């Protein structure tokens, strides 16, 4: 497979075309951003860590029967994925209160939620990714009600599978963000990335942050933390 023209350069990845219209070549970048780009830094080694972590997690989900866009890892920083038409939604699943949920609702971080809570954010940087509900999604025609039902079902399946995986490597899955897209035949498929950039992971014993909050909150160095997450994932057999 050959890498062809650059289709899109985002904050964390570059997406390239390939000779197969249904396949894209993803390159993970050494860039960290937060607060919709207000914080932006080059962090050497971040791209290869997230590429390897995401690949391992998607391989695990495939094994668990959860279909997703991942095809193959190509190099330390590159992977091949099935091309989808991205649905511009950030689908957040929360098991414990943290981050914007804690702030908005004045619930202390770390409070266990009786049931997982799914939230939708409209993926639009110019609007700062606003929090929206299913009526807004229907009004904006981002997805049909049936697609939203499917997305919620898959998001909860991913949550079950990831909670088991992370518990097995001594991490609590506090919350995470997923993205979905449509294949050419309209099938909804889990896409994008699952890494410490997109999940909140707390060490089960020490409750230390093992995710992008070390960068967002300036409480430590990102690289050794992500290295530890990858090492634990690589030691976990599935
Ligand atoms: P951002 O756009 O937020 O800066 P990235 O740097 O992670 O994010 O860019 C990756 C882009 O590629 C995102 O817009 C994401 O929705 C999109 N994407 C992820 N997976 C796929 C896929 N399988 N097919 C097409 N686009 C994808
Ligand atoms: N998240 C993400 N990308 C975003 C916003 C959030 O991956 O653009 C993830 C974030 O890492 C966390 C979860 O979604 O795991 C919930 O984030 P929250 O709404 O609490 O926002 P934050 O506190 O990060 O602003």
């Amino acid at each position: 497979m050959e890498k062809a023209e650059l289709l899109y350069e985002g904050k964390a990845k570059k997406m390239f075309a390939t000779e197969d219209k249904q396949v894209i070549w993803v390159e993970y970048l050494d860039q960290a951003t937060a607060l919709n780009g207000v914080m932006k830094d080059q962090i050497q080694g971040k791209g290869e860590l997230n590429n390897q972590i995401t690949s391992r997690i998607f391989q695990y989900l495939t094994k668990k029967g959860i279909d997703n866009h991942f095809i193959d890892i190509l190099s330390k920083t590159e992977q091949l994925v099935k091309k989808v038409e991205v649905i511009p939604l950030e689908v957040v699943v929360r098991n414990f209160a943290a981050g914007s949920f804690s702030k908005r609702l004045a619930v202390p971080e770390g409070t266990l939620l009786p049931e997982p809570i799914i939230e939708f954010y409209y993926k639009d940087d110019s609007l700062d990714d606003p929090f929206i509900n299913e009526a807004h999604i229907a009004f904006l025609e981002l997805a049909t009600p049936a697609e939203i039902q499917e997305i919620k079902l898959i998001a909860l399946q991913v949550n079950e599978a990831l909670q088991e995986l992370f518990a097995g490597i001594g991490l609590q899955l506090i919350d995470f963000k997923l993205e979905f897209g449509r294949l050419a035949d309209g099938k909804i498929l889990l896409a994008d990335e699952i890494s410490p950039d997109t999940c909140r992971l707390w060490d089960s014993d020490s409750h230390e942050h093992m995710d992008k909050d070390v960068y967002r909150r300036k409480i430590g160095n990102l690289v050794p933390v992500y290295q530890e997450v990858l090492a634990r994932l690589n030691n976990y057999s599935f």
Side-chain angles (χ1 to χ4, degrees), residues 90 92 94 98-101 119 121 129 175-177 197-200 216:
E90 300 204 332
V92 169
R94 302 182 185 272
S100 68
F101 180 95
E119 296 174 350
Y121 295 82
D129 298 347
D175 58 31
F176 58 98
K177 182 267 297 178
D197 268 15
T198 65
C199 302
R200 279 198 173 90
R216 288 192 195 97

Side-chain angles (χ1 to χ4, degrees), residues 53-66:
I53 291 170
T54 296
S55 298
R56 186 108 182 112
I57 291 175
F58 278 126
Q59 281 162 348
Y60 166 81
L61 291 177
T62 302
K63 202 126 195 200
K64 284 275 170 179
I66 299 174

Side-chain angles (χ1 to χ4, degrees), residues 12 62 66 99 134 144 185:
T62 302
I66 299 174
E134 290 176 41
T144 66
D185 64 2

Side-chain angles (χ1 to χ4, degrees), residues 122-138:
Y122 181 22
K123 229 175 108 64
D124 185 327
D125 284 345
S126 69
L127 297 176
D128 228 354
D129 298 347
F131 183 49
I132 59 175
N133 66 24
E134 290 176 41
H136 298 122
I137 294 171

Side-chain angles (χ1 to χ4, degrees), residues 8 10-13 15 24 69 81-84 86 123 125 179 191-193:
Y8 177 79
K11 296 187 285 288
K13 304 186 277 288
M15 318 300 270
I24 55 183
H69 75 159
V81 301
K82 288 183 195 164
K83 185 174 184 175
V84 295
V86 173
K123 229 175 108 64
D125 284 345
E179 291 185 28
D192 202 48
E193 161 178 1

